[in-house]
Amino acid sequence: MTPQPTSTPQDDTAGLAAYIDHTLLAPQASRDDILKLCKEAAEHHFKSVCVNPVWVETAKKALLGTGVLTCTVVGFPLGTHNTDVKVFEARGATMDGADEVDMVINIASARALDKDALLSDISAVAEVVHGEESLLKVIIETALLSDAEKVLACQAAVEAGADYVKTSTGFNGGGATAQDVALMRETVGPDIGVKASGGVRTREKALEMIAAGATRIGTSSGIAIVTGGAGTAAY
């Protein structure tokens, strides 16, 4: 069973912070930007930082002793890498210290309702990630899928052993909606995490996602969310 937050976030800033993956995936991000992200995550007690694979080792070292996890992305942001490339990425990321890996599915397979292809892709990455005792989140890119395709992708993720399903990369249009989060939660059941990402920039929006069934929030606006402001970042 995927570990879930233990406190209600409605009137509890610390509880809300425990849902947040403090995220910086911009290609131009510098080492100083990553170190700042890690410092913020430690100060606000966020669940993790989410960075591109090249920054995993840097983040892991910066977060040592803070209790904040290191998360990265695989097959990002399009999901069109061959499976063996995703496996290679995932292995490298976990060897560098990633506690969690967010992989993008082959979106064309979902749109073709090709469950076998999805299972093969996700299962191969899951085997590597779980072999290093890390967690796997599967990004299905809801903005590009019909409801039937979203359901199929979530079902494949569960069958392949994913720990979470995730709405979006934030790079391919659209973002998290409460309706999609609710559909994903209904599909995966109570024991798999659901991560809402893309466009969650306020406390109210984060709470809406949690009410719909999200157990993790991916955002670049984590500080604004826990302090009651409104983020301006694209993600």
Side-chain angles (χ1 to χ4, degrees), residues 156-223:
V158 172
E159 291 180 31
D163 301 289
Y164 286 78
V165 290
K166 174 178 171 181
T167 59
S168 320
T169 63
F171 282 72
N172 290 314
T177 68
Q179 292 80 5
D180 282 338
V181 169
L183 177 64
M184 294 164 73
R185 171 56 66 205
E186 180 182 3
T187 302
V188 303
D191 296 333
I192 303 296
V194 176
K195 179 174 174 178
S197 61
V200 184
R201 303 185 185 94
T202 65
R203 187 185 190 94
E204 291 72 24
K205 188 74 168 179
L207 291 172
E208 179 186 10
M209 296 300 159
I210 293 167
T215 49
R216 198 76 70 86
I217 303 292
T219 179
S220 298
S221 301
I223 295 173

Side-chain angles (χ1 to χ4, degrees), residues 120-144:
S120 178
D121 191 46
I122 301 167
S123 296
V125 177
E127 181 178 1
V128 170
V129 172
H130 291 154
E132 296 297 327
E133 299 185 349
S134 300
L135 295 182
L136 178 66
K137 307 191 201 89
V138 175
I139 306 171
I140 69 170
E141 203 66 285
T142 51
L144 302 181

Side-chain angles (χ1 to χ4, degrees), residues 25 49-61 69-76 84-103 125 128-136:
L25 296 170
V49 299
C50 188
V51 297
N52 280 306
V54 69
W55 296 118
V56 168
E57 193 170 3
T58 299
K60 186 72 172 184
K61 290 178 180 177
L69 301 177
T70 301
C71 174
T72 194
V73 290
V74 160
F76 195 85
D84 57 352
V85 175
K86 294 180 183 179
V87 167
F88 183 83
E89 281 188 300
R91 182 177 291 113
T94 54
M95 289 177 65
D96 282 345
D99 301 295
E100 301 183 341
V101 171
D102 292 14
M103 73 165 285
V125 177
V128 170
V129 172
H130 291 154
E132 296 297 327
E133 299 185 349
S134 300
L135 295 182
L136 178 66

